[in-house]
Amino acid sequence: MAAMWAESVARAERENWGYQRLLQHLCESEEQDRRERKMQRLLKASGLPDGKTLGNLDEKLLPTKIQRLLPTLLEGHFVERAENLLAFGLPGRGKTHFLAALGRELILRHRYPVLFTPTFKLVQQLLVAKQQLRLDSELKRLDRYPIIILDDLGYVQQDRQEMEVLFTFLAERYERRSVLISSNLVFSKWDQIFKDPMTTRAAIDRLVHHAMILEFNGESVRAQKAQGREKGRGNSPGDTCGSTPSLTPAGVKDSVPPQVSPQPK
């Protein structure tokens, strides 16, 4: 209001505003400015990768079911219901770009606090917090985010301590906050993550109990774009849709997770 005062008063005099209209104009300008500043703070704190937006996401390269589901996801009601999104597929299928673009839109449209992080980074942060006897406070800090995007679950093989803090994190958010996960590992291979079969089943049950499973089972987006550029009809090299290139976990030959029946709690 202070920054706009002189300009607003001058305009009010030119256009013969009354005091009520001047005050309304100042309040509306203040409200708009606060919304914009909050949005910028949320974007800065989100950790979302630059360039992975809805604007440069080629929706035609997404599986048909995911194309149809996207408008519903953008409404954000799944966040209010604390539902999860589990994106499965081999490298280059667009999982990371899709989840990052969705997270950015949920900030822009609904002002939801979102945190994007590689899974290994979150696990290390939780492990350090546990060693310093402040795991509870770290979980409370993460609880401020109704949406946390875990990218590349399964790339880093966990030891038992790392597995335990990851399971604790997932259990803490169960039925209260949304987790969005991208993974190249199908459910049948999640014992590589959690080691113990019982812990693996418990983690899967909590995730799928209230979840939508997205299967990115088409061709590699990066490969399609490379072919398009060779034919003179591709996008610019910086306009990628896939996740950061990395090695596929050993033994992964498909991208469609088996159906797991949620267990009632």
Side-chain angles (χ1 to χ4, degrees):
M1 285 186 178
M4 295 191 61
W5 172 255
E7 177 186 348
S8 299
V9 169
R11 181 179 176 184
E13 291 175 348
R14 290 195 309 270
E15 300 181 14
N16 295 320
W17 289 359
Y19 291 114
Q20 182 176 355
R21 184 174 180 185
L22 173 61
L23 181 59
Q24 180 180 358
H25 174 74
L26 288 169
C27 289
E28 289 175 348
S29 299
E30 174 72 16
E31 182 185 19
Q32 176 65 24
D33 183 67
R34 291 188 180 191
R35 284 200 301 265
E36 291 297 324
R37 282 184 285 149
K38 179 180 180 180
M39 182 183 68
Q40 293 303 321
R41 288 196 303 270
L42 292 175
L43 286 172
K44 184 177 181 180
S46 69
L48 287 164
D50 294 332
K52 296 187 184 299
T53 68
L54 193 63
N56 59 25
L57 175 67
D58 193 341
E59 297 181 27
K60 297 189 298 295
L61 299 182
L62 296 173
T64 302
K65 291 183 179 179
I66 297 177
Q67 292 182 38
R68 294 172 179 171
L69 185 60
L70 180 57
T72 300
L73 295 176
L74 291 173
E75 293 175 357
H77 298 311
F78 76 95
V79 181
E80 301 168 8
R81 298 189 295 266
E83 295 177 352
N84 303 322
L85 291 183
L86 310 178
F88 290 90
L90 295 178
R93 268 59 181 180
K95 304 182 300 296
T96 296
H97 193 150
F98 180 85
L99 294 182
L102 176 60
R104 187 178 298 274
E105 289 301 312
L106 291 173
I107 292 176
L108 298 177
R109 301 184 185 207
H110 306 291
R111 302 301 189 268
Y112 281 131
V114 174
L115 177 64
F116 179 98
T117 178
T119 303
F120 79 88
K121 184 176 180 180
L122 178 71
V123 168
Q124 291 303 312
Q125 290 174 345
L126 293 173
L127 189 58
V128 170
K130 182 179 180 180
Q131 293 169 346
Q132 297 177 351
L133 303 180
R134 55 179 185 84
L135 181 58
D136 286 345
S137 62
E138 180 66 9
L139 290 173
K140 289 178 181 178
R141 183 187 72 82
L142 295 171
D143 199 55
R144 298 200 298 263
Y145 296 93
I147 306 164
I148 291 184
I149 304 173
L150 294 184
D151 192 36
D152 287 342
L153 179 68
Y155 272 136
V156 179
Q157 302 300 308
Q158 315 289 341
D159 63 26
R160 179 160 293 279
Q161 286 189 329
E162 292 171 331
M163 172 272 292
E164 289 175 353
V165 294
L166 178 58
F167 179 81
T168 300
F169 166 78
L170 296 175
E172 182 71 16
R173 293 182 69 87
Y174 175 59
E175 293 190 321
R176 300 190 313 104
R177 296 287 189 267
S178 293
V179 180
L180 282 61
I181 292 176
S182 70
S183 179
N184 298 324
L185 282 181
V186 295
F187 280 140
S188 61
K189 297 186 179 297
W190 274 30
D191 56 353
Q192 298 179 25
I193 303 172
F194 295 102
K195 310 298 183 182
D196 178 70
M198 292 296 293
T199 305
T200 301
R201 182 56 185 263
I204 293 174
D205 283 351
R206 282 169 171 78
L207 285 172
V208 303
H209 187 201
H210 305 288
M212 288 174 276
I213 295 177
L214 312 178
E215 299 175 3
F216 288 76
N217 50 11
E219 297 181 13
S220 170
V221 174
R222 285 192 288 267
Q224 292 182 68
K225 286 182 176 291
Q227 292 172 1
R229 287 194 295 271
E230 291 176 359
K231 296 178 181 179
R233 55 181 175 80
N235 294 327
S236 64
D239 190 19
T240 60
C241 184
S243 59
T244 303
S246 49
L247 295 177
T248 307
V252 177
K253 297 184 182 299
D254 55 56
S255 63
V256 181
Q259 298 298 318
V260 177
S261 300
Q263 298 298 314
K265 306 311 292 179

